[in-house]
Amino acid sequence: MRGHTDDINCVAHLPDGRSIITCSDDSSLRRWDLDSGAQIGYDWRDEGGEAKVLCISLSPNGKTVASGSSDETVRLWNVETEKVIVKWTGHAGTVMSLCWSADGERVVSGSGDGTARVWNVKSGKTVLGPIKAHEHVLAVIYSPDMKKIATGGGNDSLRRWDLESGAQIAVDWRDEGDKAEVWCIALSPDGKTVASGSSDGTVRLWNVETEKVIAKWAGHTGIVRSLCWSAGGERVVSGSHNGTAKVWDVKSGKTVLGPIKAHEYVHAVVYSPDMKKIATGGANEDAVKIWD
């Protein structure tokens, strides 16, 4: 799927299973038909906006997309009209990561300024933060009960935060001897396991209750930039700066598909809703690819 004119940073499947939304360094979001590979409609652009779009996250009801940009803002887009609904300011660095709460009433953002913020979707106000989380915050996720968030970033650790007090919960999650930056995190469907991808090319699984590493998978030879769990929690797909995507069996830790040579650098991997396809986006080809 070609049309973007710069690196593709994130991909989101729409609930209909027939289309995806992508974001790019070319300052646009775009929607694509999965059957034909054609772009649907025009580029999504904020009038006058020329910032790179680093991340997108689809609301639980599938009607709104949150995007984070190099101009330090978070934007909400209406999926039907493809227009910006609101723009939030407050970060002092590129917005690198976003996650919606399960009820769709909050969005958490992570930034290169080292902070995380929780936003009220209706009011657009920061309701928690800025939380000084890491040297730079590369990944954020909500807990299923919406009482906690987890962050990953440039100080070699994962951290959890209480959403009432804003205080860190317990100590940093660290793998003994590990000094790699955490570039991405993803929560398993049952909420019991966190997968993290690091600058040392490894994928780690963490037990949420014990806060300990329960598995470490090696195989990539570059930063693990993106992760996605299968709907049943039996597989994890990873994308790396070594240009490959891999599908891992959670129980055995073995690669069950790949390495798939996808792009020069793989920035985004995501399963389709029916689990039959994987979408990847990356660098230097300015294209999205769909894999069986």
Side-chain angles (χ1 to χ4, degrees):
M1 299 177 179
R2 297 189 182 277
H4 281 296
T5 58
D6 211 331
D7 294 359
I8 294 161
N9 295 312
C10 202
V11 179
H13 272 276
L14 288 170
D16 62 13
R18 299 192 299 271
S19 57
I20 59 173
I21 296 173
T22 58
C23 70
S24 170
D25 282 355
D26 67 10
S27 308
S28 75
L29 283 70
R30 304 185 188 211
R31 186 170 176 174
W32 307 84
D33 181 273
L34 286 177
D35 290 329
S36 67
Q39 183 175 333
I40 300 170
Y42 298 101
D43 304 357
W44 300 17
R45 293 184 184 272
D46 189 12
E47 188 174 350
E50 297 181 356
K52 297 177 180 181
V53 187
L54 278 298
C55 54
I56 53 175
S57 182
L58 186 67
S59 64
N61 64 11
K63 295 180 178 180
T64 309
V65 172
S67 68
S69 300
S70 61
D71 63 359
E72 306 169 357
T73 64
V74 177
R75 291 171 173 83
L76 297 188
W77 305 73
N78 182 299
V79 171
E80 184 176 350
T81 66
E82 304 178 356
K83 301 294 184 183
V84 172
I85 306 167
V86 68
K87 183 165 61 176
W88 302 333
T89 60
H91 281 297
T94 297
V95 178
M96 305 292 294
S97 51
L98 294 164
C99 184
W100 288 78
S101 61
D103 60 9
E105 296 181 359
R106 300 282 189 273
V107 171
V108 59
S109 58
S111 169
D113 65 10
T115 69
R117 288 174 177 259
V118 178
W119 308 82
N120 179 292
V121 171
K122 286 186 177 179
S123 70
K125 294 181 178 179
T126 300
V127 293
L128 184 65
I131 300 168
K132 183 59 181 175
H134 306 271
E135 183 180 350
H136 37 265
V137 181
L138 298 170
V140 291
I141 54 171
Y142 255 98
S143 63
D145 62 9
M146 299 182 293
K147 294 181 179 179
K148 299 175 286 293
I149 58 171
T151 61
N155 67 336
D156 321 329
S157 69
L158 296 173
R159 294 176 176 176
R160 287 197 300 167
W161 308 87
D162 180 271
L163 290 183
E164 285 191 10
S165 65
Q168 184 176 349
I169 300 170
V171 297
D172 296 2
W173 296 16
R174 291 184 183 275
D175 188 13
E176 188 175 352
D178 173 38
K179 295 184 178 180
E181 288 187 330
V182 178
W183 276 73
C184 53
I185 49 180
L187 186 67
S188 63
D190 64 9
K192 296 180 179 180
T193 309
V194 170
S196 68
S198 299
S199 60
D200 63 0
T202 63
V203 177
R204 290 171 174 81
L205 298 187
W206 305 75
N207 182 295
V208 171
E209 185 176 349
T210 66
E211 304 179 354
K212 301 295 184 182
V213 172
I214 53 177
K216 183 163 66 173
W217 305 331
H220 287 298
T221 56
I223 293 167
V224 178
R225 174 73 180 268
S226 53
L227 293 166
C228 184
W229 288 80
S230 63
E234 299 170 353
R235 302 281 189 272
V236 171
V237 58
S238 58
S240 170
H241 278 192
N242 72 350
T244 67
K246 285 173 172 270
V247 178
W248 307 83
D249 180 272
V250 171
K251 284 187 177 180
S252 70
K254 293 182 178 180
T255 301
V256 293
L257 184 64
I260 301 166
K261 182 59 180 175
H263 308 269
E264 183 168 349
Y265 304 100
V266 179
H267 293 331
V269 291
V270 63
Y271 272 104
S272 61
D274 63 7
M275 306 308 302
K276 294 181 179 180
K277 296 180 285 292
I278 293 168
T280 63
N284 292 355
E285 290 182 318
D286 309 333
V288 182
K289 296 181 179 180
I290 308 298
W291 307 86
D292 185 305

